[in-house]
Amino acid sequence: MWSFIHKLGSPRWFYAISARLMPWFWVAAALLIAVGSVWGLAFAPADYQQGNSFRIIYVHVPAAFLAQSVFVGMAVAGLVFMVWKIKVADMAAAMMAPLGAAMTFIALFSGAVWGVPTWGTWWMWDARLTSMLILLFLYLGVIALRGAFASRDSGSRAASVLAMVGVINIPIIKYSVDWWYTLHQPASFSVTSRPTMPLEMWAPLLIMVLGFYCFFIAVTLMRTRSEILRRESNKRWVRDLAVEGR
Amino acid sequence: MPHEARGLQARQDASRTGEPGGGLAVAFWATLKRDLVLLLRRRSEVLNPLVFFALVITLFPIGISPDPELLATIAPGLLWVAALLAALLSLDSLFRGDYDDGSLEQLLLTPQPLPLLVLAKVAVHWLLTGLPLALMAPVLGILLSLPVGSYGVLALSLALGSASLSLVGAIGAALTVGLSRGGVLLSLLVLPLYIPVLIFGAGAVQAAILGDGASAHLAILGALLALALMLAPWAIAAALRISING
C-alpha cells in the first residue's frame, strides 16, 4: 500500500498509472452523464409545484457538490504537497483550481436561471447562494495567488497554505451565512438521510452526481498528465517518450 | 565538533538558568516593544486608517441620503464595513517594512518559535489599528445617528472582531509580502475570510439596537477570536517562511 503511494508520488509512475486509469473514468463519466441526463431530462416525472423547471437540479446539484469537494480535494493535495513534498500532488492541486472555480460558477449560474421561474428573480441574498459566491472568490484568490509568484515553487506552497486556510474557513463561513439569512430550500439530497423526493427523480440525480465526479477525476488526471510533461520536460524519460511518439 | 558541542552546552546552561537573554516571554515582549516603538515613530501610518474610516463614513450620507432614519437603519453595517476596509488598508505594511530592511529574516532565524513572535507583531497591529478604530467608531456612529444604547456594543464588537481580522489578515499579508504589488491581491485573499466576523459583528450591533441583547453575537465573535488565536499564528509563520525563501 505505502510503496504504491510512494510510486504514485513519482511523476513518472503517476504518468504511467494514470494512462491506464483515465480511459475507465472517461467511459464511466460519459455513460453516467448520458444515462443520467436522458433519464432526468426526458423520463423523470415533472415536479407538481415547479413543473419542468425543476430539471435544472440535474446540473445544479452535481455542480454544487463538486464545487465544494474540489476545494477540499485541493486543500488535501496542498497538505500532501507541504508535508511530504510530493510534486504530483501540487500539480493536481494546480489543475483542480480552475475546474473547481468553473463548477462553482456553473452552480451559481444554473441556480440563477432556476431562480427565475421559482423565486421570480435572478439573484437573492440567500445563505447558500451567498456562501457559494464566497467560495468562488476563494477559488479566484487561490488561482491569483499561485499566478502572482515569479518562482513556481513559492507559488505552489503559498497556494497550498491558502487552500488549507480556506478549507478551515469554509464551514465557518457556511454556518455564519446560514445564521445570517436563509431562504433556500433545505438540502434536497444527502447521503445520510432518506431522500425527500421520489425514486424516479432521485435516481437520475445520483447518477448525474457520480457522473460529474468521474468527469472531474478524468479531467484532473488528463490535465495533471500534461502538467507533468510540461514541468518535467527536461527529464530523460519525458524526452524518451517524445522520441518514441515521433 | 567542539564548537557545536560548546554551543549546545551553552544553550543547556542557559536553559537551566532560566535563559535570561532568550526566553519565550522575553522574546515576545521584545518583539512587541520593538514594533510598538517603530509604529509610534511613524504616527501617520497609525493615523491613516482612522482618517480613512472617517472619510468613508462621510461618503455614505453624501452618496445615499442625509435622512437620519435611513442612516440609522444601515449604520451598523456601514460602520462595520468601513472599519473592516480601514483595517485591511493597514495590513499591507504589517510585514512590508521588516521585509524591506531584512529584519524579517532575522526574525525567522531566531531560536524562539516564529508563531509566537508573529503573534506579538499581530498584537501590535491590533493595538494600533483595531483598538483605535473600535474607540473611534462610536463617534462616527453619532454622525450616522446610530440609536442610543448600541454604542458600547459597537465598540466592543469592533474591538473583539478586529483582533480576528488582524490575525486572519496577517496570513494574507505574510503570503503577499514577497510580491512587489501585493496590495490588491491581499484584499482578494483576505476579504472572503472576513465575512463571518462581519456577520456577527454587524449582527451584534443590530441586536443591541433591537434590544435582543448582543451577548450571543459577542460570544461567537470571541469564539472566532479564540479559533483564530489558536490556528492563525502557525499559518502566518508558514506563509512568512514561504515568502522569505521564495
Side-chain angles (χ1 to χ4, degrees), chain B residues 207-226:
Chain B
I209 292 173
L210 296 174
D212 289 348
S215 54
H217 287 88
L218 291 176
I220 292 180
L221 278 180
L224 289 176
L225 176 59

Side-chain angles (χ1 to χ4, degrees), chain A residues 79-201:
Chain A
L79 183 73
V80 169
F81 172 66
M82 290 294 275
V83 175
W84 291 287
K85 310 278 175 237
I86 294 175
K87 273 189 279 174
V88 173
D90 173 59
M91 297 184 203
M95 297 299 107
M96 277 183 216
L99 193 66
M103 283 297 160
T104 315
F105 181 76
I106 290 173
L108 276 172
F109 182 76
S110 59
V113 172
W114 197 3
V116 174
T118 49
W119 297 340
T121 172
W122 287 89
W123 183 262
M124 279 286 208
W125 285 102
D126 154 69
R128 277 210 242 167
L129 283 171
T130 311
S131 52
M132 214 58 183
L133 186 66
I134 299 166
L135 185 66
L136 181 64
F137 289 135
L138 285 174
Y139 271 120
L140 295 181
V142 172
I143 295 170
L145 185 65
R146 184 185 288 274
F149 281 84
S151 122
R152 187 170 59 208
D153 190 49
S154 305
S156 301
R157 292 194 291 156
S160 303
V161 168
L162 187 65
M164 284 186 269
V165 170
V167 94
I168 293 172
N169 266 282
I170 284 173
I172 300 176
I173 293 174
K174 216 170 144 48
Y175 283 111
S176 53
V177 172
D178 274 351
W179 178 308
W180 170 63
Y181 195 63
T182 196
L183 176 86
H184 201 285
Q185 59 203 27
S188 48
F189 191 73
S190 134
V191 194
T192 49
S193 64
R194 274 172 57 86
T196 52
M197 54 171 111
L199 183 69
E200 304 89 74
M201 286 183 183

Side-chain angles (χ1 to χ4, degrees), chain B residues 221-235:
Chain B
L221 278 180
L224 289 176
L225 176 59
L227 192 69
L229 264 176
M230 201 166 64
L231 297 177
W234 272 267

Side-chain angles (χ1 to χ4, degrees), chain B residues 14-50:
Chain B
S15 65
R16 219 177 289 135
T17 54
E19 210 165 351
L24 282 184
V26 175
F28 183 84
W29 285 116
T31 315
L32 198 79
K33 223 165 88 181
R34 167 184 174 274
D35 274 36
L36 264 177
V37 168
L38 274 179
L39 260 181
L40 285 176
R41 282 188 190 150
R42 285 173 293 162
R43 295 237 171 79
S44 70
E45 237 171 82
V46 180
L47 286 176
N48 281 345
L50 298 177

Side-chain angles (χ1 to χ4, degrees), chain A residues 23-46:
Chain A
W24 294 103
F25 281 108
W26 276 121
V27 169
L31 275 179
L32 287 169
I33 291 179
V35 169
S37 45
V38 170
W39 188 357
L41 296 184
F43 295 105

Side-chain angles (χ1 to χ4, degrees), chain B residues 47-61 79 82-83 86 133 136-137 139-140 143-144:
Chain B
L47 286 176
N48 281 345
L50 298 177
V51 177
F52 176 84
F53 187 29
L55 256 172
V56 169
I57 290 299
T58 316
L59 293 182
F60 280 107
L79 287 163
L133 285 174
M136 192 177 159
V139 181
L140 297 173
L143 293 186
L144 292 180

